[in-house]
Each structure stands twice: as C-alpha cells, then as structure tokens.
Amino acid sequence: MGYKKIKGGIICVCLGLMLVASGCLQNKQDYERLSDQEKRSAEHALAGLETRDGLKTTLFASEDMLVNPTNMDIDGEGRVWVTEGYNYRPSLNPENPTKTDGDRIVILEDTDGDSKADTSKVFYQGNDINAALGIMVLDNRVIVSRSPHVFVFYDDDGDDKADRKEVMFSGIQGEQHDHAVHAFVFGPDGKFYFNFGNEGQVLKDADGNIVTDEFGNPITDEGNPYRQGMVFRSDRDGSNVEVLAHNFRNNYEVAVDSYGTLWQSDNDDDGNKGVRINYVMEYGNYGYTDEKTGAGWRTRRTGMAEDIPTRHWYQNDPGSIPNLLQTGAGSPTGILVYEGDLLPEVFHNEMIHADAGPNVIRSYPVEKDGAGYTAHIEDMLKGNKDQWFRPSDVTVAPDGSIFVADWYDPGVGGHQMGDQQRGRIFRIAPEGSEYKVPEVDLSTTTGAVEALKSPNMNLRARAWLKLHEWGTDAEEQLVKLWESDDTRYRARALWLLSKLPNKGISYVEQALSDNNPDIRITAFRAARQLEVDIIPYVEQLVDDSASEVRREAAIALHHNESQRAAGLWTDLAMQHDGSDRWYLEALGIGAAGQWDRFFVAWSDAVGSEWNTPAGRDIIWRSRAEAALPKLASIIKDPLVNSNEKPKYFRAFHFHDSPEKSEHLIGILQGQGDLQNQQELNLMALKQLDRSALQRSSVVQRELENALTAAKGTQEFLDLVEKFELENQSQELLTLMQSYPDSSLGIRASQLSLEYGGRELIMSVLDEGAEQDKMKVMTVLGNTSTPRSIELLEQYSLNEQNQLAMRRHAITALGSSWGGEQRLVELVKSGIVPEPLHAAAAEGLSDSWRGDVRQLAKTLTGEAQEQQADLPPVTELVSKEGSPEQGKQIFEQSCQICHQVNGQGTQFGPALSEIGSKLPKEGLYDAILNPNGGISFGYEGYTLTLEDGTEVAGIIQSETGSEVVLLMPGGYTSTYSKSEISGREQLERSLMPENLHSGMSQQELVDLVEYLSSLE
C-alpha cells in the first residue's frame, strides 16, 4: 500500500481501488462503517468506485459546482462544459423542486493546476434546455440537443456567455424523454453526426418543415422507409441530412472514428438482457421492430429465435444488421472512440462507453471479422460499492485522459429522479498523470496540424476548420501528416486533402491504392462525398483482397442507377463465401430498391451453380421476384437441413409479389416424408391468406390436415386467425376449457367470439356442467373484449341462472381492465344486486387502482384500507432481511407480473438482474412509489373501442393495422385499428398502488433483500 499527500486528504491505494477521503479508508469495513449520508457525500465519492489496475480516478468537480449532469464536452483549453438536468421531468416528479429560471450549461475549469475544477460559470440558463441530452462546443458555437429543438448558441464577444441562439432543427418528439435527440459530434470529414432514440419520431427544420434525405424520403418513423431510432449526418449548417441507419430503440450517442466508421450502443426493452453495441453500417436496418410491419419483437413469427436478445433485435431476419456485442442488462449512455495514447494500450483506438444501469465505464476492444467485427468487454471503472454512481457521459480531454459525468441517483431509467443535490465529474488517467492541457497554436498550419492529432474532439474540430479554411495553404503540412506512420493521423489528413479544390480527387485516387485497407476505406468514403461518379472507384475496389473494403463498395451502390451497377454488384456477390453475415447485409443494402435487375444479373452469372451456401444466402436476403422460385426450391430440397428451412419461409415475408402465394402453394404439394412435409405445410400455410383458401383445393386439403396435426397449439390458432375459420368452434371451446388462465385459452376465446363461436359458448353457459361453466367464465373474464364482457354481464344479471354461477360470472367480470370498468359502473349505478356484492367485491379486490379496491370494501362493509406506517427509506435500508423469505414473498405477490430467470409472468420488466441496477433505496422507492418511475416501454394505455368499451394494458406491438395489448397476467389481445376510437396513456403505473399494504414491515424488508441479491 502506498500513500501520497494531496490537497484535502490522503490517497490510499488498496488492491487497485482508489479511495479518497478526509482520512484513509483502508478497507471495505472502513467504508461500510460510514453512514449512508457520508457515503453519498462528495468527500467520499471515490470510496465507492473501483478503478482498473494501472489507472487512477480522481474527482474533478462535484455538487455546489454542478448537479445532475446529463451530458458534457471538453474544449481545447481543457474546460468541461456540462448540461444539467435539475428540472428533469417535473410533471412526472411533482414533488421535486424546480429552478424557475431553468436548467444551466456550466463551464468547469481548473485554473490553479491541481487537477480539480475551482471555477464554475454559467454559460446559459433557461427552461428551453431543461434536461438537455447533448452538448457540443465548437469555436464560438455551442450546439445543444433538447427535444423538440436542436439549438446553436453563440458567444459573440468571447465572455463565456451565450449572446444569441438559433434553431437548427425543430419538431423532434420526446420532450423531457431519454429516447429523444442526443448529442452532436464533429466527424473527421467536417460533418456533424447525431442521433435520436425511438421517441424522436421526426426531424424538422427550423421552420417546422419535415426534413427529407438525399433520396427524397421524409425523415419520420412511419416506416416509409424509416422506423424507430435513427442516426444522421449533416453539413455543419444542418443541411443535406442523411439517415445513416434506423430501427434502433435508444441509440444514446454516436461515436465516429478517424476513418469515418460509426459506433453506437442501444438499449433493450428493460429487463431483457439485450443491450447491444453496434457497428453502424450505412443505410442499415437494425431490427428493433419488424422491417415490413413495425411489429414488436415479441410478435409470433416463423423462424423466431429461442434466445431473447436475438429475438429482440430480429437478428434472424434478412435485412437486420448483426449486433457487434451483447452486453446484457443496462442503461447505456455516452460513448466515444479513444484515439489517444495516454491510457493503457488495451484502450487505444477503442470504444469507451458509459452504462448507468450496471454503474460502469468500459471499453469494447474490436477485431476485424470478415466484413464486420467482433468485440469483448474491458472494464475501466465500476461503482461496485456505490450503486448511485450513474455515468451519463464520457469525454476525452486534450491530454488524453477520460472524463466521466455522474448523474448520481438511486434509480436509472423510467421517468423518475431521486436525487437533485448531487452530481460529479471524474477524471481517469494513469497513475501520476496530472491534468496538464497541452499548448496549441492554431494560428499556423504547423500548429493546426499538430492540433489535428489531438485525442480531444473539440481541438481536432477547431484544427479541421482552420486547415479547411486555409485550403491549399495548408497542403504542405497536411501532406507531411499524410505521409506519417500513424494510420489514423493519415486518415485525418486525407479527409482534408480530399476537399482541396481541384486537387482533392488526386489524393483520393492515390489513397485508393494504399496498402492499408482502412486507408482505402477512408479514401472511398471521401470520394463518395465529392461530386464525382463513384462507379469507376467501385470498379477499382470490386476485387479488393479485404472484404471490409468490398463491403464499402457494395454499400456505395445503394440507389445507384448506373447501368454498370448491376454488374459490379454481381462481381461483389460472387465473392460472398456463405459465412459472412456482415458482407451479405452490405450486398442487401447495395441492392435496395433495385433487387430485380441486380438479382437477374447475378442469376445469369451464377447459372445452375446457385444452390450453394453462398447462393442460398443471397436468395434468402434478396427481395427480387425472381428469387421466389429458388426460395421454394431450397425449402423443398431434401438435402437442406430441416432446421434451416424456417429461415427461408421467413424470407417470403419480405416479398410483395402476387406470385408469392403460388410458390407457397407449390410447397404444399411436396412429396417429402410425412412429418417433415407436415412441418413445411404448416409454415407455408401461415404465409398464405383466405384468398388462397378460396381458390385452391390444395390449400383447402392441406389446411384440414394441418389443423388436425396442430390441435391444441398456438399454431392451430394461427391458422384459425389467418384463414378466418368459422368451423372450428368446438376445438376452440376445448382450448378455452383446457387453458382458461393462459394465453392459449384466452386467444382461443377471442377467436371463437370473433369467428362464430358465440352460440356454442352460450350453450355451455346455459346447459353445460358446472365445472365447464366455471372454466368458460374464467377464460371470458381474462379475454377482455367487448363480446366477452357482454356475455358475462348478461349471465351474471340474469336471475334465471343459478346464484352460485352468477357469482362466479360477476367475479370473472372483474378480472380484466375492461370488465373491471364495466363492473365498477354496474356497482355504482346500483344494478348489481345485494346477493352478488361479495362476488363483485372479490372481482375488484385485486385491482391495481386503490379507489377500486376501496369500492370493493364498501360492498362487503369492511373497514377502509389503511396504509401501514413505515419508517423512512433511509431507515429501512439499514434493516437486515432474509433473501430466502423475500423470495417466497416475491413468488406470492410479484411473480404474477414479473419474471426472474424465466420464472413468473412477462408483464412488467424482468427483474433477473435488478440488484445490479438499483440499490436498496431505489428498490424501496419502486415498490412504495410505483407511479414515480415507469420504465420506458411499460407505460399503460387505455384503448377506447368503437362501442365505447375500454381496455387497458401495455402496447406490446403496433403496426399500421393493429395494436397488440399486453394485459396484467401476461395475456395479449389484438385490436384492429379500425375498431379503436381513441387511446390515452395512463398517468399511473400498472403496478398496484400500496402493494406493500398486505405485508408486514419485515416482509417488505425481506422482499427488498431478495431483489437486491438478483445480479
């Protein structure tokens, strides 16, 4: 153990853990002896963090200088610019105070050289930037991202105060939402890169007009062609916007390296361990929703992956770009590419990323893998002891050190904010590395080129602007950099040289023959930004030895209408080896919109030798009409592994040709072995529709066979729904009675009521055995459609029916939102007779709404529910609980809505790793105040149907024609948009209020103890 004197205390180095305090915290026991308030203080901020060996974390700034940092940038002078989020979602956190003058942008500076900020000045304050999610500083401009606007603030007189502002973009949705517009970064090409998550929805210019991209597409998420979150590139004035990729959930920031390669993280639907890291392939679809329909990832489909992360991102679909890396559960935030050399070599030229969920800063070293990449995880800084550590951003300083913004809060995600008093900025650097900002001289070409080498993005951007302004006057110094040994320096020089008037193309052509494939890629990307015909350069690279270079050539053919494009694409496609998904998707991007002519050219070239792994890949990925017969041939080929055939059936989903159904009908006439042919027929039938049934005797025959083989399964129900069958009421009734409390029985009930089964159901209710009646009532109660509610209401109020059965019907009526709503109306209007009061109370007693539970008690004359007095959370967290007892309580009280390690119901977020995400304070708050923090994607909605019925749940999936609602209990119901007259987001969580009221204090403590053990 070593010690060093520092200002304000002593540094203690213990097993790689950097602990800073007013005294020496020598071990874990010393830290644990601190009170919670002491642990949360800035004085002990470092004691709860663990830093990688060889690095040292120091506290640069903390509360009083700033609070709640949401994003930051570091300028060339080493000053840290921070956007604050004190006024974070005030409408959803009404108990939190707000600053009436709005949130701030503060500038933090170390003026005395002790590696700590000693001044904090306010650059701007206003309610228009409340909880801004992005900031980029560039000369006298500060670009701030805060939906619905992207602002450009100007400091005209150099006094570090905003003098004026302009709107660059407007109309972006997601105000006060984490999935809105995020930070801008300056690319090596002099362009701006930025993104928004899936709440952004639309990009408008300063005048409120929807922006169109270079292909004339409106930039909206309506599927024409873009969906969900997007990443953009634009000129520095916001013009010439390109959509570089789409269909992300919440791509929080984009990082761009010197070659112009883009990297992002993306957050999953909370609790599904599906957080991912992406290499961003231009024009790529990243698969958060179905490319064709926009359906959510839980939607049943052929070829659906078994594991949730793969299923979550539609990775089995042709047209979905592969994920680089899955990182599990998390709440990813800021990301960068570290192109410095101060940190250990493992971090050189790699992504460095903040993930606020697991309280970690980490890197993802990347290796090339064919036309794509592989990566692994290297941790840098972890909040192992302090789960309030919530890193919101990472930035590189001019000296190459890493700065980390810490939002600091007991929770993360959802719509909640638990702490408004704190916020920290940390610095990570090697041992003994004090914060010294290098001196630069941007007044000379030599100094500007030196600044272009900086690891700091702001300094590089300023140098780029100077060198670009000087043009040929800077050429000599840029050529020296271009001729250096450092590949990334060479790339930076090349971008600028490529933009020299009348000379740029000669440097590009020189670089296209370079020995380094990354330089060839850079040159080709630079050429694409010039006003030149790109086809000759594609011809030069079409046989390149590096598949990643050929990848770029394929992408460049996207919407290129040259007569030579199809032939070049064919040359590239002939080099696909059948095992490189990255390369295959690049081919798909290149052929988009021109598949028919590209595919015909390839087919002519490959001739009869198409049925190879590579050929089948291209056919699977193709959207050409001419691919359909080959798809059918692959499916019918007995030599193709039967486990692979679902993926080829899935490929039919992406074709719109009227010939599609004929090829599928042809599959039904196959002569394979019985079991295999039955499986093929089932998949083929699920791709057909009622019109095929009406015109084809083959479809009619094989549908009957498939229905017989699939009885008792979801596949049977798929066929009933697909072909709108009205002759399967008896089998549907059997499923209803066999599975009254599962999705299988509920879906059977929905289909039966829709397709002619009402009379059969009524006959059971009128004449069936008592047990059969009760099962039917139970499943009708769970079904929650206007038809099921009507049946239960009529039966329960009919005095000719047995009282016991009427009571069961009225209890079942209260099982769903729509039924509960109707039952409340009946009770309040006095229609429910006294003999049914107890049954009605039973049906309403489990409502998530406190007022409904109270109404239930009035029916039975019980005392009104009283909230148990609990000590404050600060006292509860210090109490010891039993995780074993807590597990039992969870299984009794929580498992009806949540899963842990696959056990339980998928309604609310899965909680398998909740202990690594929330400290005990956050867990108590989530239980005691469920309305304070609703996870994004789990908000409740009520749908009002045309007949006035209301249904409620979580919107699991939405397409252009239907909405799938996930109900409490994990059931789903599908509603056509034509039958929905309105929708409204619920202000409250669907988690029951006062869930803990039925628990003793110790049981609550035990439950939290169990949840905190889930990591």
Side-chain angles (χ1 to χ4, degrees), residues 119 123 145 165 170 208 323 425 479 599 704 738 741 830 876 970 1013:
T119 67
F123 173 77
S145 305
K165 71 176 180 181
S170 70
N323 293 330
I425 305 293
V479 168
F599 188 82
E704 289 300 319
S738 300
D741 289 310
L876 286 171
S1013 72

Side-chain angles (χ1 to χ4, degrees), residues 79 691 882 906 946:
R79 303 183 304 171
S691 65
S882 164
Q906 255 190 345
E946 288 292 343

Side-chain angles (χ1 to χ4, degrees), residues 391-457:
S392 57
D393 200 13
V394 284
T395 310
V396 186
D399 69 339
S401 60
I402 295 293
F403 278 65
V404 177
D406 179 9
W407 165 260
Y408 206 79
D409 200 82
V412 61
H415 301 299
Q416 194 173 22
M417 175 185 185
D419 184 276
Q420 295 177 282
Q421 303 174 27
R422 302 173 180 89
R424 287 87 190 258
I425 305 293
F426 297 102
R427 176 177 179 264
I428 306 174
E431 288 274 4
S433 174
E434 299 301 321
Y435 188 34
K436 303 294 183 184
V437 178
E439 294 184 7
V440 295
D441 181 4
L442 290 174
S443 65
T444 67
T445 56
T446 302
V449 166
E450 193 64 29
L452 193 64
K453 299 178 183 179
S454 174
N456 171 253
M457 184 66 74

Side-chain angles (χ1 to χ4, degrees), residues 955-996:
I955 294 178
Q956 184 185 83
S957 176
E958 181 172 3
T959 69
S961 59
E962 65 183 28
V963 174
V964 179
L965 212 59
L966 181 65
M967 310 291 198
Y971 317 126
T972 59
S973 290
T974 302
Y975 301 93
S976 169
K977 285 191 172 177
S978 63
E979 64 178 317
I980 301 172
S981 61
R983 77 169 74 183
E984 183 178 357
Q985 183 174 334
L986 297 171
E987 294 182 358
R988 294 180 174 274
S989 168
L990 287 172
M991 179 175 167
E993 298 174 279
N994 304 325
L995 175 68
H996 65 289

